[in-house]
Amino acid sequence: MTDVPGRTLPVSARAPGKCILFGEHAVVHGAPELALAIDLTTQVVVQGSDVRRLNGHAEGVDDHGYLGAAFARAWPTGAPVDVRVVSRIPRSAGLGSSAAFCAAVATAFSSARGGIARPDLAQLAFDIERGAQGVGSPGDTSVVVAGGYVTLNAPGDPPLWTIDGGDRRWEVRRVEDPGWVWVVAHSGVPRSTADAVRAVTARLAAPDGPDLLARFADVATQGIRAVAAGDRARTAELLEANQTLLREVGVSHPRLEALLDAARPAAMGAKLTGAGRGGSIVALARPGQETDLVRRLARAGALPFVVRPNPNGAELVESPS
Ligand code: MEV
């Protein structure tokens, strides 16, 4: 994986969205997670300006939590810039739009400051997202910086990097791409990641919390093994097992359950993805039935996408010279 080289303004960078296959929420508390970077991206262009601007407008810049956090942590010069953003990732959908924005801005700012090593970029993107959101794990920001499939808190080869969250550290490792396509579908129900994380944190503080967390960890550990082994049937079973746990901690939603029902005839397995309480589901189609699956989900009122892994992660967008 290459580091991000230094460039002079204007600098353009992009980062992919993400989809969590196993372990969301539990990862915040140290359990394993598996996520992949998806081929929907957010692109930013950072250029010199008279005052700080977002998409050409000076109003509202100070109200943008993620951009404010990026200025505070990644732009110490304070020089005024205009940050332009174009995104294909639906917002508040559980598909990593915030992580992609934080990683793309961190990439562009860091390049304009002389470049950055990728592990430091992963830490910076996490610090920006956590700075704005207040809670959460580095799962989203690490997978969108790394690209491909990555685990957190799972044993294996030497880690790509370790992220420091103050009271907790998360090791990030790569998993080989099994070569599958995934179908994600946005329910259209918006939700707040921070509120969902706080609610699950409260649930896991109950007397049966440690047992629940151990069950999340077990499903994710087996899920990581199944994906690494290219075992589609086992992966599908474990997606369902993970959904059962997510239901149990209260982050499913009637619309998500309706989409999971609609997917069933064409899917080997499916679950919600991301913080839940709305947002999206991810499904593994029966071989060759991706189109049927997409049709069923669209008929059920969702916005479906066929997604493939984005292998590159956050990167500069170089203009042809
Ligand atoms: C959100 O995409 C994933 C959560 O596990 C929160 C986090 O890890 O920061 C729910």
Side-chain angles (χ1 to χ4, degrees):
M1 250 186 320
T2 55
D3 293 333
V4 175
R7 296 282 183 264
T8 51
L9 293 180
V11 175
S12 180
R14 69 180 153 227
K18 63 85 196 152
C19 171
I20 300 175
L21 299 178
F22 295 106
E24 54 270 270
H25 285 292
V27 67
V28 175
H29 307 280
E33 177 183 80
L34 175 65
L36 76 148
I38 61 176
D39 55 352
L40 297 173
T41 57
T42 293
Q43 184 167 342
V44 302
V45 180
V46 177
Q47 57 199 5
S49 178
D50 51 345
V51 290
R52 278 185 184 177
R53 292 177 189 275
L54 176 59
N55 291 326
H57 302 290
E59 317 75 56
V61 175
D62 295 334
D63 305 330
H64 194 289
Y66 294 104
L67 185 56
F71 276 126
R73 287 170 173 76
W75 197 241
T77 73
V81 285
D82 183 2
V83 178
R84 305 225 169 195
V85 192
V86 180
S87 182
R88 293 193 54 226
I89 308 168
R91 287 174 62 181
S92 298
L95 298 176
S97 61
S98 316
F101 176 79
C102 294
V105 173
T107 302
F109 280 1
S110 300
S111 176
R113 295 176 55 212
I116 190 167
R118 208 160 270 267
D120 297 334
L121 178 62
Q123 180 74 51
L124 181 59
F126 171 58
D127 291 344
I128 293 170
E129 191 182 56
R130 176 68 100 74
Q133 225 166 250
V135 290
S137 82
D140 293 8
T141 42
S142 271
V143 70
V144 309
V145 167
Y149 284 73
V150 305
T151 65
L152 274 86
N153 306 329
D157 294 337
L160 291 176
W161 50 71
T162 300
I163 301 293
D164 187 353
D167 52 349
R168 192 180 288 288
R169 291 165 71 78
W170 290 266
E171 291 189 341
V172 178
R173 294 184 165 80
R174 193 167 281 302
V175 170
E176 208 179 312
D177 177 355
W180 304 334
V181 298
W182 296 88
V183 174
V184 299
H186 178 26
S187 65
V189 179
R191 85 290 169 277
S192 150
T193 298
D195 290 350
V197 168
R198 287 194 186 97
V200 173
T201 301
R203 174 68 187 85
L204 292 176
D208 65 341
D211 175 55
L212 255 174
L213 190 59
R215 287 160 62 206
F216 269 104
D218 183 46
V219 168
T221 302
Q222 294 186 58
I224 291 164
R225 274 194 215 124
V227 170
D231 186 340
R232 210 171 156 105
R234 184 73 184 131
T235 300
E237 269 173 33
L238 290 160
L239 292 173
E240 298 284 336
N242 199 156
Q243 175 63 20
T244 302
L245 291 170
L246 290 163
R247 242 178 238 134
E248 206 166 325
V249 296
V251 291
S252 195
H253 184 281
R255 280 295 298 143
L256 297 177
E257 293 295 332
L259 295 183
L260 295 171
D261 287 344
R264 207 147 279 133
M268 295 174 73
K271 63 181 269 294
L272 70 82
T273 185
R277 292 176 141 190
S280 301
I281 66 157
V282 57
L284 189 56
R286 297 184 190 284
Q289 292 193 30
E290 284 78 8
T291 311
D292 185 32
L293 179 54
V294 165
R295 208 177 291 126
R296 285 173 185 278
L297 288 164
R299 245 189 254 130
L303 178 64
F305 306 84
V306 173
V307 297
R308 290 177 179 73
N310 167 306
N312 297 344
E315 61 186 349
L316 289 183
V317 181
E318 308 270 16
S319 37
S321 45

